[in-house]
Amino acid sequence: MKLNNLLAILFAAALLAGCKNSHDSATPPAAENLLPTEAQPKLPTVKLYLGVETLDAEQALTPGEQQTGMMFRTNITDESAMLFPLPEPIRAPNGFWMTNCPVSLSAAYIGPDGVIEEIHHLEKNDCVPVVAAHDNIIYVLETSDGWFDRHHVTAGHAHPHRKGSLQETYFPNGR
């Protein structure tokens, strides 16, 4: 396998969060061998404001943290959230998937301006990537399944936090 192909597979695996179904071949064998084998410790958080709602979201900043995401976690509550500032926009066929994730989640796909573009259900143990309909998604916020509905947060809501916009926080020099 060429080094470029291996790097592309590793990069794609780093962008994908989720759970593995042993009967599904959606995960490339080379990437499957590199998947984490346990949950990661709680990551540093950032406070996000979504209308009247607030979330203390863990920040998945490194490729390893992003690849692991919420894998293996079984204690997902309404206070659980993880923000993924992505190095590249999500483009088809890439998306978020649920390898090694025993609990369903909801995911907000967010554009560079910090506005939610799409909200998706991520089914536990589903390795099929949930692809964005928009080509400018550079943040993903994962929460407990149904959180956005329960808290009346919809597409169009912005995600500022106490330090300013997501763009100013994670990409201060632009993309």
Side-chain angles (χ1 to χ4, degrees):
M1 178 181 299
K2 289 185 179 178
L3 181 59
N4 287 344
N5 291 343
L6 179 59
L7 289 175
I9 289 171
L10 291 175
F11 182 73
L15 290 179
L16 303 174
C19 289
K20 180 180 173 299
N21 178 339
S22 63
H23 301 293
D24 193 324
S25 61
T27 306
E32 191 172 295
N33 294 334
L34 300 173
L35 291 176
T37 58
E38 62 186 16
Q40 64 187 328
K42 184 168 173 133
L43 301 172
T45 63
V46 62
K47 188 172 292 291
L48 299 176
Y49 302 93
L50 298 95
V52 299
E53 300 295 332
T54 60
L55 276 173
D56 288 319
E58 294 180 64
Q59 301 171 85
L61 302 176
T62 69
E65 292 168 350
Q66 290 184 354
Q67 178 184 12
T68 306
M70 291 190 175
M71 286 182 177
F72 301 102
R73 292 188 180 181
T74 58
N75 58 343
I76 306 295
T77 68
D78 245 23
E79 288 73 41
S80 301
M82 188 173 287
L83 179 68
F84 298 78
L86 303 173
E88 297 287 331
I90 297 175
R91 290 194 172 41
N94 296 322
F96 272 56
W97 49 288
M98 297 292 285
T99 296
N100 297 321
C101 193
V103 178
S104 294
L105 301 171
S106 289
Y109 285 15
I110 304 167
D113 55 0
V115 173
I116 296 174
E117 298 288 340
E118 309 166 26
I119 296 175
H120 295 278
H121 169 76
L122 302 176
E123 183 63 31
K124 65 182 179 179
N125 299 317
D126 186 356
C127 292
V128 177
V130 176
V131 179
H134 295 80
D135 63 357
N136 65 336
I137 303 304
I138 61 170
Y139 308 99
V140 174
L141 176 64
E142 290 183 343
T143 63
S144 62
D145 191 29
W147 187 94
F148 297 100
D149 287 338
R150 286 191 301 281
H151 295 273
H152 309 290
V153 174
T154 61
H157 275 92
H159 278 295
H161 66 89
R162 64 178 171 79
K163 294 181 182 177
S165 73
L166 294 177
Q167 182 73 25
E168 294 165 336
T169 301
Y170 296 105
F171 304 105
N173 299 321
R175 284 190 93 52

